[in-house]
Amino acid sequence: MQAVRSTERGVEVVDVPDPVPDHESILLDVASASICGSDLHLLAFGPMPVTLGHEFAGSLPDGRVVAVNPNVPCGTCDQCVAGAGHRCRTGAQRILGIASDGGMAQSVAVHTDALVTLPTEVPAGDACLVEPLGVATHGVRLAELTSGQRAAVVGAGAIGLAAVAAARTVVDDVGLVARHAPQHVAGERLGAQSTHGEYDVVFECAGTESALAQAADLCRPGGRILFLSTHWSPVPIPGIPASMKELDFRWSFTYGSHDHGHDLDDAVQLLANNPEIAATLISHRYPLSDAAEAFRVAADREAGAIKVVLEP
């Protein structure tokens, strides 16, 4: 079968052996796989021996359409036993699309525990968004955002815009700091406004020193900054505003279980309730054979790329 990998020549579609599920996994025919900013960063590390893609969805042999949780916890470490499998001590060694074969392929074997059931309102072609939306719903939950508060989002990539959509289910007033004009338009479609004044919670979604400084400026005294970004290198904390305002810094990593279910199930419901999310976030679709061009476009935020989807 065909799969997308990072090779010595860059992103390529290559022939790989068909996946063979074991007794704990099942074969998934991939319908959609989207390109994450993390995928773009991974290319800088050079050739990888695994198929890319941790945001994907498809159909099972019985016809069910599902999204996939790409995290593969061990199930036995202290974090897994405590119900925080997304913080598994060795989970990074098994994440689909990063440490083992992911969803940018015609098919993939996935653990049966990783399947996320989809309602009929969520088509398989849009369900690759469940994973990034799960990141956002997890972060909004950890931020303890409550009705009547003001929230701001710094950074308007796919995660930032997903944070807008998730935050808007809790509060009416969501400000957005976006670098590029298409991102401003997308944010407005999802209910965001330009930032003004101070905010109770600020979601930092860019992972840069300037974004964190702007988040601290926007946050009210005693407010909270919630990190939804991935910091690929150290970022200095803006010490003076952070200390003088006594800001609360809180981190969020992927998604997990909570008292009422799972963040990915919340993401599914968000996607089902608001079709505008998929219509706004998915800016480009390509067949699997055009993966190299899809990655090129995904890296060009200024030209309007938000979420670029491969459809095997």
Side-chain angles (χ1 to χ4, degrees), residues 3-121:
V4 179
R5 293 194 172 181
S6 176
T7 74
E8 294 85 354
R9 294 167 296 279
V11 174
E12 286 191 315
V13 179
V14 299
D15 290 323
V16 299
D18 291 342
V20 179
D22 59 21
H23 68 285
E24 294 183 327
S25 61
I26 191 169
L27 192 67
L28 177 83
D29 287 333
V30 180
S32 63
S34 48
I35 299 173
C36 176
S38 296
D39 294 320
L40 298 174
H41 280 282
L42 286 173
L43 299 182
F45 293 99
M48 295 176 60
V50 300
T51 299
L52 297 171
H54 60 274
E55 304 176 354
F56 62 98
S59 58
L60 303 176
D62 62 7
R64 283 183 294 156
V65 179
V66 297
V68 175
N69 181 345
N71 291 332
V72 185
C74 70
T76 58
C77 73
D78 60 329
Q79 295 301 302
C80 288
V81 171
H86 62 297
R87 299 198 302 257
C88 174
R89 298 281 185 177
T90 60
Q93 301 171 14
R94 293 180 297 276
I95 298 174
L96 303 184
I98 297 175
S100 60
D101 287 335
M104 290 185 188
Q106 292 173 302
S107 60
V108 60
V110 298
H111 199 284
T112 54
D113 288 344
L115 304 178
V116 182
T117 303
L118 300 176
T120 56
E121 299 95 317

Side-chain angles (χ1 to χ4, degrees), residues 41 164 186 199 227 229 285:
H41 280 282
V164 168
Y199 293 86
F227 291 96
S229 59
R285 295 182 188 267

